[in-house]
Amino acid sequence: MSLGPRVVFVRFLDDESPKLKPWIAHASSVLNADSRSLPAATPGAPGEGSAVWHLVSANNRELARGVGVHATFEQARTHAERVVTAESSLVIEPVSEPARGVYGWYASVDGEPVMTCARWYVTDRDRRHSAELAARSIAVAVLLAGSRLTDPTLMGGRRGAAD
């Protein structure tokens, strides 16, 4: 059985996670490049953390990121399912930051941003290729059944240190 593009879910222990902040900053910069703002996160129950999703290729390369931080895995999955089922309605919007000389994109459904580029690109050609690949991949993506919890022990200077 070959493995193709899939939607992967990541859960963070709390909204202050060092790995969540860059995720939010990237989405905000892509949407702000088109004068849009990131949808507000839905607060979850205390201690449940939050979840996001991203589209990855068969070789685990990140192709796109879902817009928004979700209070639960179920909310993130519902959002991702909506994007996968609406793949034929996705509208790709190119954006750029001329001051930095970078190019990006986001996809919307019914005027609502739902997915962004995984990173900024140095050329317009790379941006176009990225958007086309993400659009083709989301159409056939498989949604994974669970989420991966970010490991807080890998985020600090005490990696592998014994207490």
Side-chain angles (χ1 to χ4, degrees):
M1 178 177 124
S2 66
L3 190 62
R6 60 205 178 286
V7 173
V8 176
F9 299 90
V10 180
R11 189 168 57 93
F12 301 93
L13 289 176
D14 60 49
D15 293 338
E16 297 301 315
S17 169
K19 290 206 172 198
L20 180 58
K21 288 182 179 189
W23 185 284
I24 293 169
H26 174 72
S28 294
S29 70
V30 170
L31 295 177
N32 284 335
D34 198 36
S35 302
R36 293 185 176 264
S37 60
L38 188 63
T42 308
E48 283 192 22
S50 52
V52 297
W53 65 268
H54 55 130
L55 175 66
V56 299
S57 66
N59 66 355
N60 291 322
R61 186 174 59 134
E62 187 178 38
L63 302 175
R65 296 178 176 189
V67 169
V69 177
H70 308 278
T72 65
F73 165 73
E74 290 77 20
Q75 288 176 358
R77 184 172 179 81
T78 298
H79 185 262
E81 285 175 338
R82 177 178 170 234
V83 177
V84 169
T85 58
E87 54 81 21
S88 63
S89 302
L90 286 177
V91 175
I92 304 290
E93 303 286 348
V95 296
S96 61
E97 285 191 355
R100 289 181 40 214
V102 292
Y103 301 89
W105 59 268
Y106 69 89
S108 59
V109 174
D110 298 328
E112 176 192 345
V114 293
M115 187 169 66
T116 70
C117 52
R119 63 181 183 87
W120 288 101
Y121 299 92
V122 179
T123 67
D124 178 52
R125 178 177 170 252
D126 289 338
R127 169 186 47 197
R128 284 193 320 268
H129 176 72
S130 164
E132 290 167 7
L133 182 58
R136 283 195 320 267
S137 296
I138 198 73
V140 296
V142 173
L143 279 71
L144 294 185
S147 62
R148 177 177 55 86
L149 179 63
T150 58
D151 185 354
T153 63
L154 298 178
M155 295 180 219
R158 299 193 51 183
R159 183 180 297 191
D163 287 330

